[in-house]
Every structure is written in C-alpha cells, then in structure tokens.
Amino acid sequence: MTYSDTLEYLYARLPMYQRVGQAAYKKDLTNTNRLMRYLNEPHTKFKSVHIAGTNGKGTSAHSIAAILQSAGYKTGLYTSPHLKTFTERIRIDGDNISESKVIEFVERIKPAIEEIEPSFFEITVAMAFDYFANEKVDIAIIETGLGGRLDSTNVIKPEVSLITNIGFDHTDMLGNTLAEIAREKAGIIKDRIPVVIGTIQPETMPVFKEVASTLNAPLIEAGASDWTPKSLAPNYLTKNYPGIVAVIETLKKEGWQIHEKHIDVGIENVNELTGLKGRLQVLEEKPMIIADVSHNVDGMKVLFDQVAGLCKGTLHLVFGTVKDKDLKPIFMSFPKMSKIYWTESNVPRSLIVEELAIQGVVNGIEGECFKNVNQAISHAKQKVQPDDLILITGSTFVVAEIEEL
C-alpha cells in the first residue's frame, strides 16, 4: 500500500472521534489491551509521562517534551488530533513518524485490525507505543484523547501523571459537573505513581485527593509561578507552567538529570523543538493574523483576554465549531464590537455555517458566512485597518485548514 492508501484504509475502516463524534468513543480498554498483546506489550518497554485535562494538556505535553529534549533525552510525544498531517500525532525529538513506518505498521497488524476492529484512536495509540518501544526512546510524553479512565492511552504505567485544568467539554460523555468530569480524568492516577494537579479548583480537588489516597499515589499540588515568556506565548501556557515545572521537579527527584536552563530553553523554543502549531500562532504581522485551536469556553476566555491586549483596533473574528458544543456560553465570551466571520471545516462533525449563523442570531450575534476558512480570512483581510487583528479560532479542524499554517 502507498501512504495515501494506508490512510484511506484507516479512515474507511475505523471510527474516528474527530470526524464522527461520540459514535467512535469506545468506553473500555478491551481493544487496546488486545492490540498490546498482539504487539508484545510495547507499552511496558518505555518510560512515560501521562497527561489528562480539559485545557492545557496539549501545550503541557509539548512543553514537557521540549524540556526533556533540551536535557538530552530521546523523547517521544503522542498527541491528538493532528493539524496538517497524520504523522504529527507521533513524534520523536520533534520529528514526525515517517510515512514508511506508518505503512509498515498497518500492513504488519492488518490481521489484528480485521479481527479486533479497533477505533481510529485505538490503532494510532498502538502505533505510537509500538514505535516508541522499537525506537527505544528514553521517555515518551503521552496525551490522553478523551477523559482518562477509559482512554486508550490508559494502559501505560508512567513515571508521573499530570492533570491540567478541568472544564466543561465533552459533557455528553464525561459528565455534567466538574466533579464528574474530574473523576474521569482522575482515571489516569495509578497505584503509588505521583500525580501532579496543575490547576487547583475547589470543585475537583476533593475528587483527586480521594482517588490518589485510595491508590496511595503521592499528590502534588502545583503552586503559583512568576515565570513569564520572553516572546509571544499563549496566556494559558503561563497558567500551565506550574504543572509543567512540578512534573519536571518530580522527574528530577526520580533521578532524571534536568537543570533550570533546560526548562528555559525548552519552554522558549517549544514550537521549534516539538513542532507545536496553532497555539497563538502569528501568521502575519501587519495586520496581525493569529490562529489558535481553543475550542471551549474556558480556553476562549483566556484567548480573548490576551488578544484584547494585542489588538489596538477592531477584532475580526473568524469562527467555526463542531456540532456537539453548547454555543451560548462561548458566544457570551466573544469580545464586544467584534466583526464576525462564520465558517466551517471539511469534517462530518463540523457545524455547517448556515446553522452556526442561525445560532449566532438567536444569541444576538450577526456575522458573514463563508464555507471555507481561507475565504473568510481573505475577506477579512480586505476589511482590516493596520491596527486591526484577525483571529481564527473555535475548532482544531478550522485552524487545520488554514493554507498558511
């Protein structure tokens, strides 16, 4: 098979949450455990850091990976979803898995795919773990997909776990209260394995303390930090920094050789070291055009607050989302007096632009409609003044389709 044939095979056979939503979500680890046995238990052959949370888990994963790379460790990184290419999901020292490795893996385990019928996410997790084991990484940073307790990644036994901010996202699968969602995320806490809580929230801490106590897992509450980036970085990275540092300090106590300079170099160069994209990413300077994959109300509030400090004129907001979102609180977070450009992405889960516009009107927000994000950006560029700012956000899939990304 060619690489395109391989991806077509995966997409055609395997449910993919990012494309079809809840129908792809498997609420147990049976398939993953069967794949691990078929592959000779690769998840037991490398050390890891496991990360769950609502907001900040992706940036935390990339940042921790960048720090470990700066310290000289061969570092694997598994994140999802991808923006431009499937191979972004699986990296070692910032380099994507090769297309030939993807082809080889799928051909090798085709019998298992036919028999087990795993989800798209389950197969990519198996691919990542197999790759990290075969390439003998020193450590791999593993980001959960949804939740934690029943997430396909939750078969590893990490050096330390990290739970970032808990917010209201995927409530149809994870629960309707922060405590319920926290209990799903707390599923990554393992027996006697340290867990860092990156954001201290009164609704969620009792849950984490209860689970950690039951499992005799040392619980580390990340403190405040006065660290500030030397270049433009998302405010939510600053919010995640205490958790990131607490993870690094925990690794140091376990014997990992990491120094202060590695933290500084890793954080300041996270984009270059790990290939991180779509987090307050500046696409053009004059006028400033920023792309950010924030897609729930908590993340957007932080994003809009920061953008307000960067925008000297009018904010031109290019916004698209998916079908399974409660849009009212997101709309309420929109900066006042913004010019809105509704758009959609080319995935089945995308909320079509006409429906998005209708929901906008219901909530008192008017905007122009564009079937493609690049059309929306082009139109906004024709209307901006030098001090205006164009922000593209609302969905990973909308940002992924930006031609200049």
Side-chain angles (χ1 to χ4, degrees):
M1 291 192 294
T2 65
Y3 178 66
S4 60
D5 290 338
T6 302
L7 289 188
E8 186 176 339
Y9 171 80
L10 291 177
Y11 290 147
R13 287 190 56 87
L14 309 172
M16 181 180 178
Y17 175 79
Q18 283 79 16
R19 290 173 176 264
V20 302
Q22 188 173 3
Y25 184 50
K26 300 290 185 68
K27 290 195 173 185
D28 64 65
L29 297 174
T30 302
N31 286 354
T32 304
N33 283 319
R34 290 180 68 187
L35 286 169
M36 292 300 103
R37 288 193 293 272
Y38 186 88
L39 293 165
N40 196 23
E41 313 291 353
H43 62 299
T44 66
K45 297 177 181 177
F46 57 87
K47 297 183 183 299
S48 61
V49 173
H50 203 190
I51 304 177
T54 304
N55 292 304
K57 60 179 179 172
T59 48
S60 295
H62 282 82
S63 299
I64 293 167
I67 293 167
L68 287 162
Q69 287 173 229
S70 299
Y73 291 107
K74 186 175 184 179
T75 306
L77 176 62
Y78 176 76
T79 58
S80 63
H82 61 270
L83 282 175
K84 286 296 187 182
T85 175
F86 172 82
T87 56
E88 294 171 17
R89 293 169 177 253
I90 303 168
R91 294 183 170 115
I92 295 178
D93 289 345
D95 295 327
N96 295 1
I97 186 174
S98 68
E99 293 181 359
S100 62
K101 291 286 187 182
V102 174
I103 296 168
E104 182 275 328
F105 177 82
V106 172
E107 289 182 337
R108 173 158 49 96
I109 71 156
K110 253 190 176 182
I113 294 175
E114 303 287 341
E115 178 185 348
I116 299 171
E117 297 185 343
S119 73
F120 182 94
F121 189 77
E122 287 165 341
I123 206 73
T124 56
V125 167
M127 185 186 302
F129 291 178
D130 183 73
Y131 182 59
F132 295 152
N134 290 338
E135 295 296 318
K136 296 179 171 56
V137 298
D138 294 316
I139 192 167
I141 315 305
I142 309 297
E143 177 196 11
T144 60
L146 283 173
R149 181 174 63 95
L150 300 174
D151 188 80
S152 300
T153 63
N154 201 29
V155 294
I156 57 175
K157 186 177 180 180
E159 302 288 283
V160 56
S161 301
L162 168 64
I163 301 176
T164 64
N165 166 273
I166 303 298
F168 291 103
D169 204 6
H170 306 299
T171 53
D172 53 336
M173 288 170 283
L174 303 181
N176 293 309
T177 68
L178 291 181
E180 288 176 345
I181 296 169
R183 192 162 295 278
E184 288 299 311
K185 309 289 186 182
I188 72 166
I189 301 175
K190 303 293 192 307
D191 184 46
R192 294 179 173 80
I193 301 296
V195 57
V196 171
I197 308 302
T199 303
I200 310 305
Q201 299 167 268
E203 303 94 334
T204 62
M205 279 306 298
V207 175
F208 297 142
K209 288 180 177 179
E210 175 199 333
V211 175
S213 176
T214 300
L215 294 171
N216 295 308
L219 186 144
I220 301 147
E221 298 181 29
S225 170
D226 59 2
W227 178 84
T228 54
K230 299 181 179 67
S231 56
L232 182 62
N235 280 351
Y236 48 76
L237 176 56
T238 306
K239 291 178 179 291
N240 295 330
Y241 187 71
I244 293 166
V245 171
V247 166
I248 296 300
E249 291 300 321
T250 302
L251 290 173
K252 286 169 66 175
K253 290 176 182 176
E254 295 175 357
W256 296 81
Q257 300 299 306
I258 310 165
H259 304 295
E260 195 70 32
K261 64 179 181 181
H262 300 137
I263 298 175
D264 291 337
V265 170
I267 293 289
E268 295 293 346
N269 299 281
V270 61
N271 291 13
E272 295 81 3
L273 288 169
T274 68
L276 179 64
K277 289 184 177 181
R279 272 74 168 186
L280 206 73
Q281 184 174 349
V282 178
L283 304 179
E284 294 185 22
E285 294 283 354
K286 283 289 183 180
M288 184 172 284
I289 303 177
I290 292 176
D292 193 283
V293 296
S294 295
H295 55 273
N296 57 51
V297 65
D298 292 331
M300 285 185 194
K301 283 179 178 177
V302 175
L303 173 64
F304 291 147
D305 284 346
Q306 184 165 14
V307 167
L310 299 172
C311 182
K312 303 294 191 293
T314 299
L315 175 65
H316 298 254
L317 178 59
V318 178
F319 182 88
T321 187
V322 291
K323 296 174 183 175
D324 50 3
K325 294 287 182 185
D326 180 5
L327 291 179
K328 184 172 183 177
I330 292 176
F331 288 152
M332 289 177 65
S333 72
F334 279 14
K336 304 301 181 186
M337 306 303 292
S338 302
K339 290 188 176 180
I340 308 297
Y341 307 80
W342 305 120
T343 191
E344 63 183 76
S345 62
N346 188 31
V347 298
R349 274 183 71 213
S350 181
L351 183 63
I352 63 171
V353 70
E354 293 84 1
E355 176 60 27
L356 178 56
I358 290 170
Q359 293 200 38
V361 170
V362 169
N363 287 276
I365 300 174
E366 299 278 354
E368 299 180 72
C369 293
F370 300 88
K371 297 294 285 186
N372 179 282
V373 66
N374 296 295
Q375 294 173 358
I377 294 169
S378 177
H379 190 75
K381 287 171 72 172
Q382 295 173 21
K383 295 192 170 186
V384 292
Q385 300 299 314
D387 288 338
D388 292 355
L389 187 150
I390 299 173
L391 174 65
I392 309 103
T393 192
S395 166
T396 299
F397 312 106
V398 165
V399 171
E401 292 175 11
I402 298 173
E403 291 173 352
E404 300 175 12
L405 193 71

